[in-house]
Amino acid sequence: MQCYSGLVLALSSLLGALALLQLSLYLRVPSRYGKHEERLCRPRGRLPARCAWFLQELPSFLVPALLLALRSPPRLEPLGCRLLCCLFGWHYFYRTFIYPFFTRGRPFPLQLLFFGMLFCIYNGFLQGYYLIYCAEYPNDWCTDIRFTSGLLLFLLGMGINIHSDLLLRQLRKPGEVTYKIPQGGLFTYVSGANYFGEIVEWFGFAIATWSLPAFAFAFFTLCCIGPRAYHHHRYYLKTFTDYPKSRKALIPFVF
Ligand code: NDX
């Protein structure tokens, strides 16, 4: 397989367009899973959260891994490019093989699972194809300010995301499905602490890779979970009269 830059441009632009579609669809009404499902329509089928998250996220790990295996001769030079591939793989290894097995979430709607899987195939292909077949970095990319600052942001975001998801998980005993007020960590400042971490993470990745596909994905993430953080915030304010008034929705002290 070779690098077709036109394909990368087309797929990245489509991802940007999907982000805008996502924003227009879910700004007023939240996507119908988790705490926003019950009050809206009841989906026909659901899968246990563990199974659903595993299946949904698997293509994001598998597709780049397949692309890497198909590359002949296997080459990911220089070191900067190899590290960047590892960051994406590292996140999706966690999201596919670790996160689902600890989640205490409610069953996930099959319909959304299907679209989520399609999205993960699409994005896994775009990011993997670009990094494995197209990206070229100078040998000293690892010392470039874009790489180092992006990597730091990525690690910071990932740390916040994993820690916040852990705090959410600890709110429930196994088998429980009730909602409580999240406390501690970045939840002290925002209702969507896990989403804030994820957004910082993917903007860090975009800066470190300095690539159109990664910026398109960071933008998609912002448009996908940014509005969801806002809906979570409204839900908490409506549900809990003692919800901390100073807490913002997504960005500490700002929004
Ligand atoms: N999955 C990313 N759009 C998405 C699934 C839905 O990873 O067709 C995007 C992802 C997909 C979406 C995905 C892409 C766009 C789709 C959409 C469906 C339709 C849409 C395909 C792929 C679409 C068009 C047409 C435009 C293409 O019971 P519960 O489940 O609520 O329990 C929760 C629990 N919890 C609490 N427990 C007790 N008390 C409380 N107060 C609690 N609050 C929450 O914690 C869960 O078990 C857990 C986390 O819940 P929540 O709601 O905070 O996070 P959640 O949304 O479930 O995300 C989990 C993690 C999180 O770290 C987040 O950052 C990351 O996944 N994520 C999620 C969504 C997208 C994404 C990352 C990304 O874009 N990078």
Side-chain angles (χ1 to χ4, degrees):
M1 214 187 290
Q2 330 166 229
C3 172
Y4 296 100
S5 48
L7 179 66
V8 172
L9 181 64
L11 293 181
S12 304
S13 310
L14 185 57
L15 187 54
L18 280 180
L20 292 176
L21 174 66
Q22 178 81 13
L23 192 65
S24 66
L25 285 178
Y26 297 118
L27 203 55
R28 283 179 170 215
V29 183
S31 45
R32 296 166 179 181
Y33 69 94
K35 58 171 73 68
H36 304 294
E37 190 189 341
E38 220 167 50
R39 297 171 302 149
L40 299 160
C41 82
R42 198 168 268 279
R44 258 173 270 161
R46 300 182 199 195
L47 214 59
R50 289 182 179 185
C51 191
W53 277 91
F54 172 76
L55 289 175
Q56 179 178 249
E57 306 293 322
L58 185 63
S60 297
F61 182 80
L62 221 51
V63 173
L66 275 175
L67 288 173
L68 190 57
L70 286 175
R71 183 169 173 116
S72 164
R75 192 187 67 94
L76 266 181
E77 298 297 341
L79 181 64
C81 189
R82 258 182 303 186
L83 282 174
L84 292 167
C85 283
C86 290
L87 295 183
F88 191 80
W90 187 18
H91 173 93
Y92 279 105
F93 180 84
Y94 161 75
R95 185 65 79 218
T96 307
F97 297 105
I98 300 176
Y99 176 81
F101 295 98
F102 291 100
T103 182
R104 291 176 182 168
R106 311 163 104 196
F108 198 87
L110 273 174
Q111 214 180 8
L112 295 191
L113 167 65
F114 175 73
F115 286 118
M117 271 183 89
L118 283 185
F119 173 78
C120 289
I121 293 171
Y122 183 92
N123 190 49
F125 176 81
L126 175 58
Q127 307 301 329
Y129 179 73
Y130 177 78
L131 282 175
I132 295 163
Y133 290 92
C134 300
E136 280 178 23
Y137 294 99
N139 284 327
D140 60 354
W141 185 248
C142 291
T143 53
D144 190 288
I145 183 75
R146 286 165 291 183
F147 180 79
T148 48
S149 59
L151 178 64
L152 276 178
L153 273 181
F154 178 89
L155 294 174
L156 176 73
M158 192 172 189
I160 294 173
N161 177 260
I162 292 176
H163 180 239
S164 309
D165 276 337
L166 175 75
L167 292 175
L168 285 176
R169 193 155 59 237
Q170 287 172 343
L171 291 173
R172 285 179 179 165
K173 296 190 185 85
E176 239 185 354
V177 284
T178 51
Y179 292 104
K180 296 169 192 162
I181 300 179
Q183 305 284 2
L186 217 72
F187 283 111
T188 312
Y189 306 102
V190 287
S191 301
N194 52 343
Y195 293 152
F196 175 76
E198 181 103 18
I199 291 167
V200 168
E201 192 179 343
W202 290 118
F203 273 99
F205 180 70
I207 294 168
T209 56
W210 209 247
S211 70
L212 187 62
F215 274 105
F217 178 43
F219 180 58
F220 181 90
T221 300
L222 178 68
C223 294
C224 177
I225 56 184
R228 203 166 155 79
Y230 168 72
H231 289 297
H232 276 16
H233 188 64
R234 281 175 39 135
Y235 169 90
Y236 288 134
L237 288 173
K238 244 193 237 171
T239 312
F240 305 107
T241 48
D242 55 341
Y243 196 69
K245 294 284 175 285
S246 61
R247 203 178 282 188
K248 301 286 182 189
L250 181 65
I251 306 168
F253 310 112
V254 179
F255 171 73

